[in-house]
Amino acid sequence: MQSNAQEPGFSVTFNEGPSAPVRSFVQRRRNRHGRGLRGPLLLPGMPAARTRSEKFEDLVVDSAERLSELWSAQLADVEYLVEEVPDNLEALIASGAQAPLGKYSAAVPSGSISATTHPLIVIYRHPVEALCDSPGQVRELIHEVLIEQVAGLLNIDPDSVDPLFGRFRHGGT
């Protein structure tokens, strides 16, 4: 049976004097087998240090900038958003329908006099990446999805949104 009472003649002391070595954080890190300290494998500025979602967002920004150069007045207020998957993905899969690659919503006036919500184009990362085998295909599919969404938003033909896009890919003249 244990008791909480202190036993007479028993004491514990810690050596807190100047003879106790104080090691810095760097010295306390592990240096296994003398091969140096552990650290990041890639420096933060290296291209391979970026995540797949960050690379995907960069591709969407590149494509959106290309389209905004062509349609600057019409796409001035458009906001672009990258989401991982559509909200109702389970219901779409259960119904046998293909998952959407993107969607758009037009500007909607709010209850306030001067406030309106901006037009929005959403790209879904996982469905787009699932259809592609290489990074080049991801870039092309992102641009194609954005072209389709801009065409729907502006109510025009997708071929007239970016006339140079399909020409080289589909063998057109």
Side-chain angles (χ1 to χ4, degrees):
M1 186 167 154
Q2 295 180 356
S3 68
N4 291 337
Q6 290 184 349
E7 296 180 25
F10 181 78
S11 67
V12 176
T13 59
F14 295 100
N15 187 4
E16 297 179 3
S19 63
V22 177
R23 297 184 313 173
S24 69
F25 174 74
V26 174
Q27 292 173 334
R28 287 181 299 196
R29 289 183 67 188
R30 193 169 178 151
N31 184 4
R32 193 172 197 176
H33 304 292
R35 291 183 286 212
L37 299 176
R38 292 184 181 183
L41 294 176
L42 296 170
L43 298 174
M46 302 295 291
R50 298 184 53 80
T51 64
R52 286 190 303 170
S53 62
E54 290 172 337
K55 292 176 186 177
F56 189 89
E57 290 172 1
D58 290 344
L59 294 174
V60 171
V61 168
D62 291 344
S63 181
E65 286 176 352
R66 162 85 175 132
L67 293 176
S68 66
E69 289 173 3
L70 296 172
W71 298 89
S72 58
Q74 293 84 353
L75 300 179
D77 293 334
V78 174
E79 295 178 1
Y80 299 91
L81 180 66
V82 175
E83 290 186 2
E84 298 296 313
V85 293
D87 293 333
N88 54 354
L89 184 62
E90 293 84 11
L92 289 170
I93 292 173
S95 68
Q98 182 181 357
L101 303 177
K103 71 175 183 179
Y104 69 91
S105 60
V108 178
S110 298
S112 173
I113 296 172
S114 63
T116 60
T117 59
H118 295 286
L120 179 68
I121 294 178
V122 180
I123 303 291
Y124 299 115
R125 184 173 76 89
H126 286 292
V128 169
E129 288 180 340
L131 291 176
C132 300
D133 296 328
S134 70
Q137 288 179 343
V138 173
R139 177 182 295 276
E140 287 182 0
L141 187 56
I142 286 172
H143 194 65
E144 186 172 336
V145 170
L146 274 178
I147 287 173
E148 291 174 1
Q149 301 308 316
V150 167
L153 186 65
L154 300 178
N155 199 18
I156 58 175
D157 184 38
D159 292 333
S160 63
V161 173
D162 190 358
L164 295 179
F165 175 67
R167 177 177 296 173
F168 301 108
R169 189 171 144 209
H170 300 303
T173 57

